C-alpha cells in the first residue's frame, strides 16, 4: 500500500474520535453528549494554558492529542463496563500500534506512540499534568451538563480528588 493510502487510512481511523461518544455521559443518559474528539480538543487547550513554566507545554499538548486516539478503534471504555485494566491497556496498545504503523517517522507515527505510552506510564511530570487535565476537563463538562441537562452528575467530581497540580487543583476547588 502506498504511503498516501496509509496516511488516508490513518486519518479516517483517527477521525472516528469525532464520532465516538464519551461513554460515561451516555451511561448517565445525558442528551447530545460530547465526542472523544471534543474532549481531547479542550484538554489540549487546557494543557496549552498551563502557567507552570517548569513543564513542557508543547509536549503536553501533543500528549493530550494522542492520549485517547486509540479510542477511535476500541471505543471509550468506561469503568462501568468492568473491562480489566490490563485488557483495556492491551486493546488500546494494539490500536495505537496499528494506527502508528500506518505512518512513517516523517509523519510522526513513532512520536504519537511515544506520547501515548508516556501518558499511560504516568512517570513524567508532564504526563501527570495531562492526567490532571483529563480529569479536570471531565469535571468542567459535568458542570456544563448539569446546567443544560438538569442532572446530578456529582459522581464525576470524585475523580477530582486525584488532581495534584496546584493550578488544576485551584480550578477544581472552585
Amino acid at each position: 500500500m502506498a504511503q498516501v493510502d496509509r496516511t488516508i487510512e490513518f486519518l479516517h481511523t483517527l477521525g472516528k474520535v469525532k464520532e465516538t461518544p464519551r461513554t460515561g455521559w451516555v451511561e448517565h443518559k445525558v442528551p447530545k453528549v460530547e465526542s472523544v474528539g471534543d474532549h481531547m480538543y479542550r484538554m489540549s487547550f487546557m494543557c496549552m494554558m498551563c502557567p507552570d513554566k517548569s513543564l513542557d507545554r508543547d509536549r503536553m499538548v501533543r500528549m493530550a492529542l494522542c492520549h485517547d486516539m486509540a479510542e477511535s478503534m476500541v471505543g471509550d471504555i468506561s469503568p462501568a463496563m468492568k473491562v480489566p485494566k490490563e485488557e483495556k491497556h492491551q486493546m488500546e496498545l494494539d490500536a495505537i500500534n496499528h494506527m502508528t504503523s500506518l505512518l512513517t517517522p516523517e509523519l510522526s507515527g513513532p512520536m504519537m506512540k511515544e506520547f501515548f505510552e508516556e501518558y499511560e506510564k504516568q512517570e513524567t511530570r508532564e504526563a501527570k499534568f495531562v492526567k490532571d487535565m483529563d480529569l479536570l476537563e471531565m469535571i468542567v463538562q459535568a458542570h456544563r451538563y448539569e446546567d443544560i441537562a438538569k442532572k446530578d452528575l456529582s459522581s464525576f467530581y470524585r475523580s477530582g480528588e486525584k488532581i495534584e497540580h496546584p493550578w488544576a487543583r485551584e480550578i477544581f476547588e472552585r
Side-chain angles (χ1 to χ4, degrees):
M1 180 184 323
Q3 184 56 58
V4 70
D5 295 321
R6 295 162 63 89
T7 300
I8 292 168
E9 180 181 342
F10 172 84
L11 293 172
H12 284 298
T13 302
L14 178 64
K16 292 177 185 173
V17 296
K18 298 187 330 180
E19 304 160 7
T20 305
R22 295 270 286 164
T23 307
W25 308 129
V26 173
E27 291 167 348
H28 282 79
K29 302 194 181 353
V30 173
K32 298 179 183 173
V33 301
E34 69 173 340
S35 70
V36 171
D38 295 327
H39 164 70
M40 292 164 59
Y41 181 75
R42 181 162 45 189
M43 227 183 109
S44 299
F45 269 95
M46 293 166 75
C47 289
M48 191 166 59
M49 295 165 53
C50 176
D52 187 338
K53 302 295 183 211
S54 72
L55 297 174
D56 184 340
R57 275 193 208 165
D58 290 339
R59 182 171 200 78
M60 294 186 308
V61 169
R62 291 175 185 206
M63 196 180 308
L65 288 169
C66 295
H67 90 286
D68 276 345
M69 63 187 266
E71 292 182 15
S72 66
M73 292 184 68
V74 301
D76 184 20
I77 301 169
S78 76
M81 295 173 157
K82 297 188 180 355
V83 175
K85 188 176 183 176
E86 301 78 24
E87 184 179 336
K88 178 180 186 260
H89 177 73
Q90 189 59 54
M91 290 168 60
E92 291 177 343
L93 186 58
D94 290 346
I96 287 290
N97 284 333
H98 170 72
M99 292 175 72
T100 59
S101 73
L102 297 170
L103 302 174
T104 63
E106 294 78 24
L107 297 177
S108 300
M111 185 190 324
M112 291 176 196
K113 182 178 177 185
E114 288 170 18
F115 285 131
F116 170 81
E117 290 174 339
E118 181 178 348
Y119 176 81
E120 287 292 305
K121 289 179 184 172
Q122 287 294 296
E123 294 174 349
T124 65
R125 293 179 64 234
E126 284 80 5
K128 290 174 192 282
F129 184 86
V130 174
K131 180 64 175 180
D132 283 351
M133 294 303 97
D134 191 15
L135 297 171
L136 186 59
E137 195 286 329
M138 177 191 64
I139 291 164
V140 169
Q141 191 64 45
H143 279 287
R144 179 73 181 129
Y145 285 148
E146 282 186 328
D147 287 345
I148 59 178
K150 306 299 183 215
K151 288 190 168 282
D152 176 16
L153 299 171
S154 58
S155 62
F156 287 89
Y157 304 141
R158 284 193 286 273
S159 298
E161 294 304 321
K162 299 175 190 169
I163 293 173
E164 296 177 6
H165 193 276
W167 180 69
R169 191 111 199 123
E170 182 180 6
I171 296 168
F172 167 66
E173 290 174 351
R174 290 272 174 163

